[in-house]
Each structure stands twice: as structure tokens, then as C-alpha cells.
Amino acid sequence: MQEEQQPEAAADPMSSSDAPEDGPKETSSVSQNISDADAFKILLEMKMKKRQKKPTLPSTVTELDTEDGSKVYVVGTAHFSDSSKKDVVKTIQEVQPDVVVVELCQYRVSMLKMDEKTLLKEAKEINLEKLQQAIKQNGVMSGLMQMLLLKVSAHITEQLGMAPGGEFREAFKEASKVPFCKFHLGDRPIPVTFKRAIAALSFWQKVKLAWGLCFLSDPISKDDVEKCKQKDLLEQMMAEMIGEFPDLHRTIVSERDIYLTYMLKQAAKQIELPRASEAEPRKYIPAVVVGVVGMGHVPGIEKNWNSDLNIQEIMSVPPPSASSKIFKFVIKATVFGLMGYGCYRIGQRTVQFILSMPAAQSYLQKLTEIRSQH
């Protein structure tokens, strides 16, 4: 569930432009023969000098420590917020992290490479092709749930004229500017979350939730987004709709809190320094990590930080219940019923149209005359 992107390292400090043109050949030879370990140390020293010992951080940042001295700076964001993007950039520039972890999984990583215009268009265009793709990838129930949640996101996108995930794209860009900074995807795979969420609901709860998501239309302003910095807007809207479904809140929010905490702690393990030879003893230094997550996950991460976590249980997908099978059958029957009725109506109208054409009427008249003659 964890992917790494090795960003570009800083430019070589021993560049030819810094050395005098008529300098001794030994200097050029040394710069060309510098070992990987020495190059690493030089770049690491540059990074450490740039790293602020007492960073000035936004109020949305929560600082956490590990037992071995590593530091984790969790930036709580609103997924539709320009202010959150600035918070992320500021934090990464101040602490010069070794790892950046974002609240994304491999199924949503494409948003990192899309521009705002493309994402805005994608979020607004929820069509049958996307629904079929979601169902094919995640199954009928999970696919429908995914499309309904995308509808919520598209509603906010349409209201604000702003694509989601801007803070993740900023984190990706800034991480690429920090020497030796790795980029990790820290969220649980979305198919697992949806399948566990569906399994937690009864038949009528599924119907009620789908109804609420389908008819979402409340207007949202940019001021509303910034006011929701204490609790992410998208997750707050979801919490309001799933408030009467505690099991759904557990799978969509609480379990992901645990997963995100686990991934942040994994990223915060000490870093091994390169050795000049195998005989040299291993040396480790504490890591600095920046986590970029929705504000609604920050309390859960703090709560779980000092706990021994096991994510095997929350990664398992339970078998479909009887209510899930019934709901799946009802959905399929409805879809096929509508398709059949559509074909019938189209076919009926087509026949009527053909029969109304002059050529067809003339042909039918001739057939009638031939039959009357016989």
C-alpha cells in the first residue's frame, strides 16, 4: 500500500561554475572521484543547514514524536482550500523532511499529476462510463458507493469552482525540491474502505444513505470551507449524513485514522547513513516526516499515536451479507429493467417513425392491393 517517489536531489554543490577555470587538475580529479557516501554527506549537510531547528509552523500543524527521536509534523487540511496548500508548502520548506506522507492511495494517485483544470473537469463529469469502470474495479456495491461519494465531491467542486486535493499536489511538488525526500501514499486502498463500509450497513441503511447522497444540493461558500478547517468540509458533510450509522463512521473515518497513524509511524523510522565500507559500523539518525491529511483525521492520529497498531484486521474484506445480496439484486434488476424499457420505447418509436414515412406507406399500400387481388 506504500509507494515511494524519489524526488530530484539538489544540484551538485561541486559544479564546474564554482571552480576557477585555471585551477589545479587535482581539484577537478577530486570532484570527479567523490564517493557516493561523501556526496550524500555533503547534500545532507546542506539539507540540515536549511532545516529550521525551531520551525515557524502554521496553527494547523500537530507535532508528534517517536521513541527513537524522530519527529512527525501532521498538517491538518481542508481538501478544498487555498489556505491549506500554503500551510503544506510552508511546513515542508521549514522542516526539510526526509519523508512526506499524504492521505492518498494508489487508486487516487493520478490526481498528483493532473492540473487543476483537468481535475475540475473530471470531478464535474460523472457519467455512465465512469460508473461502469468503478463497478468493474470494485464490484457493484462498492462501485456505486464510490460514485455517490464522487458526487458529493463534484457538488463541492461545482459550488466552489475548485478541484480537490490541491494540498497533495503542492506536497508532491515541494517534496521534489528537498534532497533525499521520499514521497509515501499513506491511505488505505479505497476498494477496501468501500467494501468494509458496505458490509457494515443493513439493507435499509444502504438505501437511506444512497438517497441522501443522490439528493445533496446545499450551497457552499469559500468562507464555509475555511470555517471547516477545524473539521474537513468533505468529511464533515459525510459525518452529517452518516451520523446515524456509527458502523459506517467507523469504517470510513476511525479505521482510516488507524491506517494513517500506522503509515506515519512506519515512515518515521530512523534513517541509516551510507557507509564507506562494509567494515564501517552502521549509523542511524532520527527521521523528520511531514504528514498531509484531512483535518478530521488529526484527532484520531493523536489518539492512536502511542498505541501498538495492527492493520491486518482493518485490511480484511468480510463476505457479503444477505442484505447486500438483496440490495445488489434490486440494483441489477432496476438497471436492467430501465434498460429494457428504454429499448422497448426506442424500438416502438422507431417502428412508428418508419411506418409514417411516405415510402413505407406506399409499399404497404401496394402489399394491400396485391393481397386484395388474390
Side-chain angles (χ1 to χ4, degrees):
M1 290 357 120
Q2 185 174 341
E3 291 190 13
E4 296 184 5
Q5 172 72 31
Q6 182 66 44
E8 295 178 3
D12 188 348
M14 303 291 287
S15 61
S16 58
S17 60
D18 295 332
E21 293 181 3
D22 55 349
K25 294 183 179 180
E26 288 78 11
T27 303
S28 174
S29 176
V30 170
S31 62
Q32 289 178 1
N33 296 330
I34 186 171
S35 68
D36 291 341
D38 288 337
F40 182 91
K41 287 177 182 178
I42 292 170
L43 288 173
L44 187 61
E45 285 176 7
M46 292 175 62
K47 179 177 178 177
M48 292 301 182
K49 286 179 181 179
K50 197 173 180 182
R51 179 180 289 171
Q52 300 296 322
K53 292 182 179 179
K54 293 183 179 180
T56 303
L57 300 173
S59 60
T60 53
V61 177
T62 300
E63 185 177 339
L64 301 169
D65 298 304
T66 66
E67 294 179 355
D68 55 20
S70 295
K71 287 190 175 294
V72 177
Y73 299 92
V74 182
V75 188
T77 68
H79 294 317
F80 294 83
S81 169
D82 287 329
S83 177
S84 287
K85 291 191 277 188
K86 294 175 184 176
D87 290 352
V88 169
V89 172
K90 171 74 171 174
T91 303
I92 293 176
Q93 288 178 349
E94 286 282 312
V95 306
Q96 294 290 295
D98 303 300
V99 186
V100 172
V101 181
V102 295
E103 184 198 332
L104 288 175
C105 67
Q106 65 266 41
Y107 295 92
R108 293 178 288 158
V109 73
S110 59
M111 73 160 54
L112 293 175
K113 297 182 179 179
M114 289 185 185
D115 56 49
E116 291 280 337
K117 187 176 180 181
T118 304
L119 279 167
L120 201 60
K121 183 181 177 182
E122 286 287 318
K124 289 181 179 180
E125 293 180 354
I126 298 178
N127 50 36
L128 184 60
E129 184 180 349
K130 287 185 179 179
L131 176 59
Q132 290 174 334
Q133 185 178 357
I135 290 175
K136 184 178 180 181
Q137 186 180 61
N138 305 317
V140 174
M141 293 304 305
S142 297
L144 287 171
M145 177 65 76
Q146 181 178 348
M147 293 309 295
L148 288 173
L149 290 176
L150 279 175
K151 184 182 182 298
V152 176
S153 179
H155 170 65
I156 303 174
T157 297
E158 187 175 1
Q159 292 282 319
L160 300 181
M162 181 188 300
E167 74 273 34
F168 301 139
R169 289 187 290 281
E170 290 299 324
F172 184 71
K173 290 176 188 175
E174 287 302 315
S176 69
K177 301 174 186 177
V178 180
F180 311 113
C181 181
K182 297 179 181 179
F183 192 86
H184 290 186
L185 304 177
D187 201 3
R188 182 171 65 178
I190 201 167
V192 176
T193 297
F194 284 141
K195 287 175 183 177
R196 286 184 64 84
I198 290 297
L201 296 178
S202 67
F203 172 76
W204 290 113
Q205 285 176 327
K206 292 182 179 77
V207 173
K208 194 170 184 179
L209 177 64
W211 181 268
L213 291 170
C214 283
F215 292 94
L216 178 70
S217 59
D218 294 336
I220 303 161
S221 69
K222 289 191 177 182
D223 288 338
D224 292 331
V225 178
E226 296 308 323
K227 288 177 183 177
C228 288
K229 287 288 287 294
Q230 297 306 310
K231 192 170 185 181
D232 180 66
L233 177 64
L234 181 58
E235 289 170 8
Q236 178 166 315
M237 293 180 69
M238 287 303 303
E240 290 174 358
M241 286 184 287
I242 67 179
E244 54 191 288
F245 311 133
D247 288 335
L248 193 58
H249 184 274
R250 172 178 54 81
T251 54
I252 291 181
V253 181
S254 301
E255 289 184 358
R256 288 173 61 223
D257 289 346
I258 294 172
Y259 191 92
L260 287 164
T261 307
Y262 177 84
M263 297 303 285
L264 285 168
K265 292 177 81 170
Q266 289 293 111
K269 290 183 176 179
Q270 287 191 325
I271 300 169
E272 181 181 355
L273 297 176
R275 296 177 292 166
S277 66
E278 290 295 327
E280 187 178 338
R282 296 178 184 272
K283 293 181 181 179
Y284 298 86
I285 58 173
V288 173
V289 177
V290 169
V292 182
V293 304
M295 181 61 75
H297 289 293
V298 176
I301 291 171
E302 287 187 277
K303 177 184 174 183
N304 293 302
W305 189 250
N306 294 316
S307 304
D308 291 328
L309 303 175
N310 185 347
I311 62 170
Q312 289 184 353
E313 182 182 348
I314 62 173
M315 287 298 291
S316 63
V317 179
S321 61
S323 64
S324 294
K325 292 178 181 178
I326 293 171
F327 190 65
K328 182 177 179 181
F329 173 78
V330 170
I331 291 294
K332 281 186 174 180
T334 302
V335 171
F336 284 118
L338 289 172
M339 288 176 62
Y341 179 71
C343 290
Y344 166 73
R345 293 288 296 179
I346 291 171
Q348 192 178 41
R349 290 177 182 176
T350 302
V351 171
Q352 290 175 351
F353 174 73
I354 292 172
L355 291 178
S356 67
M357 294 176 65
Q361 289 181 351
S362 175
Y363 181 72
L364 287 172
Q365 187 176 359
K366 288 181 180 180
L367 283 176
T368 304
E369 291 174 358
I370 292 171
R371 287 187 64 184
S372 62
Q373 290 175 0
H374 290 280

